Amino acid sequence: MSFRRAALALALAATILAAPAPATATPGVVEVSNTVDIRCAFYTMKANADWYFPAGTPRGLVYLQHGFSRSNGNLQDLAEHYATAGFVVFAPTLPSANLYGCTVNNIGSNTGFLDNVADLLGKAADSGDKLGRSFADARARAGRAGLALPTSYVISGHSAGGEVAAYVANRLRTSYAAQFAKVKALVLLDPVKSPVGQSMANAFEGLTNTALPMYAISSPPYLANSNASGTVELTSHVSRPFLGVRLSTGCHCDAEGGSTDGLCTLTSGTPQARNVAALQTLAAAWAVDGVTGTSTATYYPGGAYYDGLLADNVVQTLSGV
């Protein structure tokens, strides 16, 4: 999560606040934790990874990335909703501080590290490579031996993780064409542009002329989301009539829902139930439509669910210039 100096000054105090207990796993969803190897400079980082398995045959794989100063555990609530919708979910924890720049947001130059993160999906077809090894271990722990890693992908990221998600998608486009063809949707959750570099803008410029569905679910501009910097990047660089929604009374913690904590709520506000429900419903629905190649009318402008959100002033429509 990209907090400004004033917010960061509160972090120490926030750590003494008790975080809510993790929610009980959704019935039918199995969560396991292990590690995944990611190259960082001259060494291999063993990053913590959470895997979520749906009850039945998976529709696809969601790569779900947390934001600055956060971890994969903060996205448990959303991950379970993606899994309930039929996805295997892969949620790694990436550092927010690292001597060699191997960080979730760019505070110097993290692009080499993000190339290595993209390599996880880039080589996912090889069961003996990094993501394949982590998945094989996770499926065994989950009691799903024999399950194949899905070959349709949705890339989703919150806050600074939104920049990672866009970067990874574009890196697949430029370096792993066969794997990029398996990416069916990009779903960004109040994305935030890093304070250094143009990684997000470059990614959107690279993706804008592709057929990849790209959506954001954002909150209004304020300190915690750097004045909606990531949403501005998306709508400035991708010229499409529908790019998702802004939650009219949303906050930066909405994507974390029931698995947020005192650090996020102290610096960013407390999520409202109706905003969390709308975010989780739309994110899962757009992911399902991406992998199935459909467009379920109720979740888009003109549809009953979507227009109900508009009428109740829960959302506002985002569009590109």
Side-chain angles (χ1 to χ4, degrees):
M1 189 178 299
S2 181
F3 305 119
R4 288 290 162 251
R5 288 190 183 121
L8 284 169
L10 297 171
L12 181 59
T15 59
I16 67 174
L17 298 178
T24 302
T26 301
V29 173
V30 178
E31 176 190 356
V32 298
S33 296
N34 62 6
T35 62
V36 64
D37 292 341
I38 307 175
R39 187 72 178 173
C40 171
F42 57 85
Y43 75 99
T44 297
M45 174 187 299
K46 290 193 174 295
N48 177 268
D50 287 341
W51 289 89
Y52 299 79
F53 293 84
T57 302
R59 298 177 184 272
L61 172 73
V62 170
Y63 163 39
L64 180 59
Q65 184 59 61
H66 66 81
F68 175 71
S69 82
R70 316 305 286 152
S71 73
N72 51 12
N74 294 120
L75 289 175
Q76 178 186 18
D77 193 4
L78 179 59
E80 289 182 357
H81 277 76
Y82 275 133
T84 300
F87 292 95
V88 171
V89 181
F90 165 66
T93 291
L94 303 183
S96 292
N98 179 275
L99 182 63
Y100 305 105
C102 302
T103 53
V104 70
N105 70 324
N106 195 352
I107 52 178
S109 179
N110 72 339
T111 54
F113 176 63
L114 294 190
D115 289 344
N116 295 334
V117 174
D119 192 62
L120 297 176
L121 284 177
K123 295 178 181 174
D126 180 356
S127 61
D129 202 74
K130 301 169 290 296
L131 189 66
R133 295 196 303 270
S134 181
F135 172 73
D137 175 74
R139 73 183 177 190
R141 293 170 185 244
R144 301 294 297 273
L147 182 70
L149 185 69
T151 56
S152 293
Y153 311 143
V154 173
I155 303 178
S156 185
H158 173 225
S159 190
E163 180 169 278
V164 174
Y167 186 97
V168 166
N170 192 50
R171 178 69 175 179
L172 294 176
R173 180 189 67 85
T174 60
S175 301
Y176 306 91
Q179 289 299 99
F180 179 68
K182 299 175 184 178
V183 181
K184 305 302 181 181
L186 180 65
V187 181
L188 308 177
L189 310 164
D190 210 20
V192 172
K193 177 185 180 295
S194 287
V196 177
Q198 296 297 316
S199 292
M200 185 175 277
N202 293 340
F204 289 142
E205 288 176 1
L207 294 168
T208 186
N209 291 322
T210 71
L212 179 66
M214 290 183 274
Y215 307 108
I217 305 173
S218 302
S219 63
Y222 72 129
L223 182 67
N225 64 7
S226 297
N227 291 316
S229 61
T231 302
V232 170
E233 291 292 314
L234 176 67
T235 57
S236 297
H237 293 281
V238 181
S239 181
R240 297 182 186 179
F242 181 68
L243 288 171
V245 299
R246 171 166 283 139
L247 296 166
S248 302
T249 58
C251 78
H252 198 50
C253 308
D254 289 333
E256 296 183 349
S259 47
T260 195
D261 61 16
L263 175 59
C264 192
T265 58
L266 182 64
T267 57
S268 307
T270 301
Q272 297 179 26
R274 71 173 190 169
N275 292 329
V276 173
L279 182 150
Q280 293 174 344
T281 298
L282 292 174
W286 296 340
V288 169
D289 277 352
V291 298
T292 58
T294 56
S295 181
T296 307
T298 195
Y299 300 114
Y300 302 89
Y305 178 78
Y306 187 93
D307 284 1
L309 295 177
L310 284 178
D312 291 339
N313 196 34
V314 177
V315 303
Q316 303 159 357
T317 299
L318 295 173
S319 61
V321 295

